[in-house]
Every structure is written in C-alpha cells, then in structure tokens.
Amino acid sequence: MDRRSFLKSSSLVAGGLALNSLFNHAVAQNSNIVLPSEKHPLLLNFNENSLGMSEKAKEAIIKALPNAFRYPDDARAELQKNIGELYSLSDKNISIGNGSSETIQATVAMLANKAKKRGINIQLVTPDPTFNYAELYSLPLGVTITKIPLKTDLSFDLAKMEQAANDFDGLSMVYICNPNNPTAMITPYSQLDKWLSKDSDNTFFIVDEAYAEFVEDPNFTSAIELVKKGQNNLIVTRTFSKIFALAGLRVGYGVATPEIIAAVDTFLSIDNTNTAGAVAAIASLKDKSFIQYSLKSNDISRKIVEKALNEIGLEYAPSQANFIFHKVKGDVKTYQQRMADAHVMVGREFPPAVGWNRLTLGTPEEMQQFVVILKQFHEKGWV
Ligand code: PLP
C-alpha cells in the first residue's frame, strides 16, 4: 500500500477514526514492510514534511507558471496580506523571507548595524544546543556568541540566559527556538512572557517558531500574542518549510511591529520571493484539511516511534514537533553511519547533548520501516 492510500484508508483526511485505531492499523501493517534501499533511502534528517505539499499548492503553482516571467510583486503582496489576516494583523506586521532563514539573517544584520550606529557591543545569547542559523549569521558580523547550555532536563536555562543579557555591556540578541530544534520540546509561555514582555533598548528577542503549527500542548502560546500587544523588541519567525512542506520553494516570514518590520526589510534581498513559492504558500494557508492531515500523520508517526523506543528502553524527549530527540546507547556518529549503511539518514549529534539523536518523523509508513531497522540494531546490541 502506498503512503497516500495508507493514510486515506485510515480516514485521516475526514478525521473519522480515533488516532488509536489508526495507530493499531499502522502497527498491523508490519508484515508487508518494504525496507529502504540505496534507490529509496529514508530521509529522516532535515525535519521536512515527507507527505509532500498540498495538492492545492501544486495546482496553484501550475496555474501561476505562465505568468512567472513577471516579477513576483503581486503574489508576494497577496501572501503578505494573507499572513497578516491569519493573525488579525496588518501586512505591515509581516516580513516575507526567502525561507525564515533569510528573516533570521536580516534581523541579525539589522541589529548588528543598529549596534554599530550606536557605537555599542553586540552579542547573541543562544541556548545550546539549538538551531544555529542565528549564530552562523552572527559570526561573520563579529557578534560575540554567548551559549547557555540546556538544563539536564533539556529545557532552556532562561534565568542564565537573562543574566547573560543583563550582564552584557551593549545590545543582546536573544534567540529562542520554540519548540526547540533539536529537542522538539516547547518552552511554556508562562516561563517566557515575563522576560519577553519587558521593554528594553538593549535586549531584542528572535523567537523562532518554525515548528509551532505542530504543537498540541496547551502550555504553548505563540509570541505573536506579544506582537499584537505592540511589543517592540522582538520578532517571531515562521516558515512554510515544515508543516506546509514547501522547503524547496523557500518561503518564510517574520511577525513584528511595523517599525521592526520596516527595519528588517531593509536587509532583505530585493525580490526575495519566487512566484511559485508565494502562490503555493497562499494556497497552503487556505488548505486546512491538508494541515489536519499532516498533523494526524505526524501524530501516528510519533506514536509508532515512541512505542518502539519504549520497547527498546531508549529515553526520548517529549516531542511537540515533526521530529523526536532520543537517546542512543553508544556513540552517535557510529549509530548515524550504521543507519546510513541501512539507507536511513538520521540527524547528527548536537553537542553538548551527547548520546542523543534527532530523528525526523516521516510518514507512518516510513517510520514503520525505521522501527524495523532500529529493532534489528537493538538485537545486534547497537542501541
Ligand atoms: N528555524 C528552525 C528551528 C529550523 O529547524 C529551520 C530549518 O530546519 C529553519 C528555521 C529554517 O527554515 P527555512 O529557512 O526553510 O524557513
């Protein structure tokens, strides 16, 4: 059975069946699992949405192609307006990026320039491990990098991060990835809002919510709520690369006050949005059933993996995204290589979280294949 019919037979699109029965159905398929091969590897290393994009997005691209010899201004403006409406904000609150990566890059450059103009120092305060693009974009600009290790429970050490910002003589950019990559854990809003809602000329927050659409935990609240209240020292970044499955089309965005958006936009590449990406993003936002479909598929995949990890006795962090951070007994590089030899690409090690591996949740069918291999590894004493 292919993945589409697998999911459809589970009434995912209609949402008719309870997840548990879908899960049992998935587990019952064990006997006819085709394992990955050199030609058909499992790509579980970049947190993409293996379902592929919404059919509506594909149709929109095909429809837009004849006019794609024109510059993308109209499609870009419509996308900006639609995203604004999504959050009951204006298009002036939205900065479109060539992926949220560009939004992060432009924000870092804007802040470094601001510090330069003010003649003050600038640092990036970042948890460790976390997604490292803010760090990578800061390094060539001479920004000081201050890494604050995660606590032993893998949560952010917010008190230490705040202390590091307060102790610094200059401007502190604080990067908060929520849910965090690589742990897939959320930071509850109750722990963030006090610090994030403090007005300050010397602290600026980049809140990266690339995986927010996957979150089901009610303790999570988007920092976009603070933008709505006019908080002027933060930007929230989001992407179409994850739940919307448009990673190759490069569309992301930032949400902030109009003043911040105008400043960030100055550092974007002009005409940074391609027509195909813009129309696909517009169609994807409207395709609510695709989002439901992705969410349910991800839930089933997570359950398949969690069940196997429980059976094998491998610890894992509570995942609120489309990946899961789990322990591997022994050396992670060796594990990663052995998985690659079995045609399964898994994430790398994220020091200082040594002994943990980040695994992308692909389709349920892909995760069943993964589990077979993981169990084989366990039998060999490799995990
Ligand atoms: N932020 C986080 C936390 C990510 O994991 C990623 C990609 O993996 C990105 C941002 C960048 O995504 P994109 O530039 O495709 O929007």
Side-chain angles (χ1 to χ4, degrees):
M1 197 188 298
D2 68 30
R3 60 183 166 80
R4 291 262 172 219
S5 45
F6 168 77
L7 287 165
K8 278 189 183 141
S9 73
S10 307
S11 304
L12 270 176
V13 178
L17 284 176
L19 263 179
N20 276 347
S21 56
L22 293 174
F23 171 60
N24 292 338
H25 178 80
V27 173
Q29 300 298 310
N30 253 333
S31 49
N32 10 339
I33 294 171
V34 181
L35 291 182
S37 59
E38 196 172 345
K39 215 171 156 201
H40 299 286
L42 285 185
L43 304 180
L44 306 175
N45 49 346
F46 291 136
N47 297 349
E48 296 148 341
N49 181 347
S50 298
L51 291 174
M53 73 185 74
S54 141
E55 289 304 317
K56 299 260 166 61
K58 288 183 198 164
E59 285 162 19
I61 294 169
I62 291 166
K63 210 170 137 215
L65 275 185
N67 262 327
F69 67 99
R70 304 276 182 210
Y71 279 107
D73 304 54
D74 289 350
R76 190 181 195 281
E78 190 183 337
L79 175 61
Q80 205 167 1
K81 189 168 150 277
N82 286 4
I83 297 170
E85 283 167 3
L86 181 68
Y87 302 114
S88 308
L89 288 165
S90 135
D91 54 353
K92 293 197 168 45
N93 292 103
I94 310 300
S95 171
I96 309 278
N98 190 254
S100 59
S101 164
E102 193 194 16
T103 313
I104 297 169
Q105 182 184 33
T107 305
V108 167
M110 181 275 283
L111 293 168
N113 187 54
K114 193 170 164 185
K116 194 175 155 200
K117 278 189 180 162
R118 283 170 63 190
I120 59 171
N121 297 322
I122 179 162
Q123 72 165 346
L124 172 74
V125 178
T126 177
D128 192 28
T130 193
F131 186 67
N132 67 351
Y133 281 18
E135 178 189 347
L136 294 182
Y137 293 132
S138 292
L139 283 170
L141 300 174
V143 173
T144 303
I145 311 292
T146 305
K147 294 188 182 185
I148 308 293
L150 301 185
K151 294 201 229 174
T152 47
D153 64 358
L154 299 178
S155 66
F156 290 164
D157 196 336
L158 292 170
K160 282 217 175 106
M161 288 173 70
E162 187 168 359
Q163 193 63 47
N166 291 344
D167 289 348
F168 187 70
D169 179 19
L171 176 60
S172 294
M173 298 185 266
V174 181
Y175 176 73
I176 304 228
C177 189
N178 198 16
N180 191 25
N181 178 0
T183 64
M185 283 166 56
I186 60 145
T187 302
Y189 192 62
S190 57
Q191 294 174 21
L192 283 177
D193 68 332
K194 253 207 208 118
W195 188 22
L196 266 58
S197 57
K198 264 187 206 156
D199 293 325
S200 166
D201 279 342
N202 290 327
T203 305
F204 190 98
F205 297 96
I206 302 173
V207 185
D208 184 338
E209 296 185 354
Y211 300 96
E213 290 86 357
F214 288 103
V215 177
E216 286 166 348
D217 187 331
N219 291 311
F220 172 86
T221 300
S222 169
I224 292 173
E225 290 309 312
L226 292 170
V227 174
K228 289 185 181 174
K229 290 181 188 159
Q231 193 66 35
N232 210 20
N233 59 336
L234 97 162
I235 187 165
V236 182
T237 60
R238 293 270 185 130
T239 183
F240 285 90
S241 299
K242 303 303 173 183
I243 201 162
F244 298 106
L246 301 180
L249 292 175
R250 313 303 304 129
V251 193
Y253 58 96
V255 187
T257 60
E259 191 186 331
I260 290 167
I261 292 299
V264 169
D265 278 358
T266 322
F267 288 86
L268 293 176
S269 156
I270 294 166
D271 296 322
N272 66 352
T273 316
N274 70 84
T275 301
V279 298
I282 292 166
S284 300
L285 279 180
K286 291 182 183 147
D287 193 352
K288 304 289 181 211
S289 64
F290 177 77
I291 300 171
Q292 286 311 312
Y293 171 71
S294 287
L295 271 176
K296 289 203 174 176
S297 168
N298 193 59
D299 274 335
I300 298 168
S301 293
R302 187 189 292 118
K303 285 196 169 163
I304 291 169
V305 174
E306 284 180 350
K307 183 171 180 286
L309 293 172
N310 287 337
E311 282 167 10
I312 293 176
L314 290 177
E315 194 187 338
Y316 54 90
S319 162
Q320 286 288 315
N322 65 337
F323 54 98
I324 188 162
F325 203 46
H326 68 87
K327 269 208 168 142
V328 175
K329 283 175 199 147
D331 174 55
V332 173
K333 267 203 187 120
T334 309
Y335 168 78
Q336 195 184 5
Q337 186 53 52
R338 283 173 172 158
M339 275 288 168
D341 293 343
H343 312 293
V344 182
M345 307 304 142
V346 295
R348 61 176 173 88
E349 189 162 51
F350 286 84
V354 176
W356 293 80
N357 188 254
R358 189 192 71 190
L359 175 75
T360 300
L361 298 171
T363 62
E365 200 181 39
E366 287 175 333
M367 300 332 283
Q368 285 178 278
Q369 295 174 26
F370 167 79
V371 160
V372 171
I373 291 166
L374 186 73
K375 287 188 173 166
Q376 285 173 357
F377 277 27
H378 183 60
E379 277 160 26
K380 289 178 182 160
W382 290 350
V383 289

